[in-house]
Amino acid sequence: MKLLRRKEGPSLDSRLAALLEAASLAEGRLPEQAVSGARSVAERAGARRNLSVDHTVAALAGATGSGKSSLYNALAGAELAAVGVTRPTTSTAQAALWDGEGAGPLLDWLDVPQRHSAATAGDLSGLILLDLPDHDSIRISHRLEVDRLVELVDLLVWVVDPQKYADAALHERYLRPLAAHRDVTVVVLNQVDRLPAQAVDRCLRDMRRLLDDDGMKGVPVLAVSARTGTGLPQLRELLEDRVSERESWSARLAADVTTAAAGLATAAPEQAGPAERGAVAGRPGMGGALTGALSQAAGVPLVVEAVAKGHRHRAIVATGWPVTRWLRRFRPDPLRRLRVDGMAPKGTAAGGVTGRAGREVEG
Ligand SMILES: Nc1nc2c(ncn2[C@@H]2O[C@H](COP(=O)(O)OP(=O)(O)OP(=O)(O)O)[C@@H](O)[C@H]2O)c(=O)[nH]1
Ligand SMILES: [Mg+2]
């Protein structure tokens, strides 16, 4: 399965520069939180692009008991992570590396000290697979770890199970705010061995419908069983494609920049009505320059429209869990109109050796 192809747009570099310019122009005009949010996105993007682009960081995320650690072990070909009956089991992220040579600084930046070499060879060379704690955890530290890494990884693999695939915690707190990230999102329906065949199809159809509603149209949804191995070859193939393309990192950053630009565009002062908001974005001088920079950062000229609609999103912006508040500013409605075109320069080919099962590797 290939990355959804989009036509070439402005480079990631130019979009990052435009975002920084927009942040400068917005200084003192738009709320400080929105300005600093955009700056931190630009900083994060700058940091990631200076680290290994030969490696693709994919995270297995999802609710407790969905089977993240089981899938992690199945893909790595070794019992690297504890799989538990008592919930929640995983408390800190760990990484499995397929050819981890040169990945040390990237893993340091991710702050994932627990690293292993995967036991399976083949075309996954360059993959860094993270097993995350549960996003819906009763433990706050688990949720913080998930949110921290969801902001940083290149590819998000959401592992759902037949009981919890429709949970609001997943759709409202993660998938909808990350609608612009659909090119770097994959959904895995695990534990299909527990369902009769017709129920699997029904579940998949329902999940696709929910994803469409989330603004995640076209995101791959795979039916798998970590227990029986059903669907694992397809999941492995998908990961192989993403790893060999080496585009996930730049697609992720492009989506971040789009989201941040939309966030600035919808952050006009609380007291401003639609007309005034339009003036902020559209009038000549500083406002026009800001509009231009935001459009350039987003890769489309539709930011003005998002600004005009911004008041609808303000109530949501004001609420939300602090860690994901920067995402909360970007509910999907304006983002659905902000089609991402820009893809960043590609990385160079990776080489090297595949490590042994369960061996801790130095970064
Ligand atoms: N029947 C079935 N059981 C599964 C499958 N995958 C995982 N399990 C079981 O589900 C339970 C939870 O699996 P884990 O892999 O620990 O789940 P997790 O998502 O890592 O859970 P946390 O670490 O708590 O977030 C274990 O008892 C697994 O054996 C599957 O595909 N089919
Ligand atoms: Mg686990």
Side-chain angles (χ1 to χ4, degrees):
M1 240 169 292
K2 300 282 179 193
L3 194 71
L4 297 176
R5 295 290 174 195
R6 299 184 189 281
K7 64 183 167 56
E8 286 299 312
S11 72
L12 181 61
D13 273 353
S14 67
R15 293 182 54 194
L16 277 170
L19 182 63
L20 281 171
E21 189 194 340
S24 296
L25 291 169
E27 190 92 58
R29 298 173 60 86
L30 296 184
E32 177 49 35
Q33 196 192 13
V35 176
S36 61
R39 285 218 169 94
S40 63
V41 166
E43 270 164 31
R44 204 165 57 228
R48 173 63 185 99
R49 72 191 316 294
N50 285 332
L51 293 161
S52 173
V53 295
D54 292 337
H55 290 93
T56 300
V57 184
L60 296 169
T64 184
S66 61
K68 300 177 294 297
S69 299
S70 305
L71 276 174
Y72 175 82
N73 290 342
L75 288 166
E79 297 301 306
L80 302 178
V83 168
V85 179
T86 50
R87 304 263 83 83
T89 305
T90 307
S91 54
T92 50
Q94 62 172 296
L97 280 62
W98 282 256
D99 181 12
E101 208 178 311
L106 177 55
L107 282 158
D108 292 345
W109 179 68
L110 292 165
D111 196 13
V112 177
Q114 219 184 326
R115 306 160 192 183
H116 303 276
S117 284
T120 55
D123 296 333
L124 285 174
S125 177
L127 174 65
I128 297 174
L129 186 66
L130 301 186
D131 178 24
L132 299 191
D134 49 329
H135 71 69
D136 59 346
S137 193
I138 51 168
R139 306 233 169 108
I140 181 76
S141 61
H142 292 199
R143 304 203 303 260
L144 290 171
E145 174 87 331
V146 173
D147 279 17
R148 188 180 73 74
L149 286 162
V150 161
E151 278 188 5
L152 299 179
V153 300
D154 304 327
L155 183 65
L156 285 157
V157 181
W158 292 99
V159 181
V160 298
D161 64 48
Q163 267 102 47
K164 296 215 262 179
Y165 69 88
D167 272 10
L170 171 66
H171 293 273
E172 288 175 14
R173 287 169 62 183
Y174 294 96
L175 296 178
R176 285 185 196 180
L178 286 165
H181 295 71
R182 59 196 171 278
D183 282 353
V184 290
T185 300
V186 175
V187 173
V188 171
L189 174 65
N190 188 35
Q191 305 188 20
V192 293
D193 60 287
R194 298 172 60 208
L195 294 173
Q198 326 83 279
V200 173
D201 287 343
R202 218 168 34 238
C203 241
L204 288 174
R205 271 200 308 276
D206 200 30
M207 187 67 197
R208 281 194 192 286
R209 182 185 58 77
L210 292 170
L211 287 168
D212 286 358
D213 287 351
D214 292 336
M216 287 260 173
K217 219 179 180 67
V219 163
V221 184
L222 301 183
V224 310
S225 166
R227 180 158 292 176
T228 65
T230 300
L232 286 187
Q234 288 78 7
L235 176 57
R236 202 169 273 124
E237 195 186 330
L238 185 148
L239 292 172
E240 282 171 10
D241 283 347
R242 300 298 174 96
V243 167
S244 68
E245 286 167 341
R246 292 183 173 78
E247 285 179 344
S248 294
W249 71 272
S250 59
R252 199 258 140 82
L253 298 184
D256 285 349
V257 174
T258 296
T259 306
L264 269 183
T266 56
E270 194 74 59
Q271 66 276 17
E276 202 180 338
R277 194 184 308 279
V280 169
R283 76 172 179 226
M286 176 89 74
L290 176 55
T291 305
L294 286 174
S295 299
Q296 211 188 331
V300 287
L302 295 180
V303 168
V304 178
E305 187 190 347
V307 170
K309 300 281 184 206
H311 63 283
R312 275 206 295 130
H313 301 275
R314 301 212 50 75
I316 302 155
V317 170
T319 60
W321 195 30
V323 181
T324 50
R325 193 168 287 152
W326 73 275
L327 285 171
R328 294 267 162 188
R329 290 186 211 111
F330 320 131
R331 300 292 286 190
D333 288 2
L335 290 176
R336 279 181 186 160
R337 291 188 289 276
L338 297 171
R339 297 297 170 201
V340 187
D341 290 322
M343 285 290 148
K346 292 179 184 171
T348 52
V353 293
T354 303
R356 290 195 311 276
R359 180 169 61 88
E360 297 252 333
V361 292
E362 299 294 311

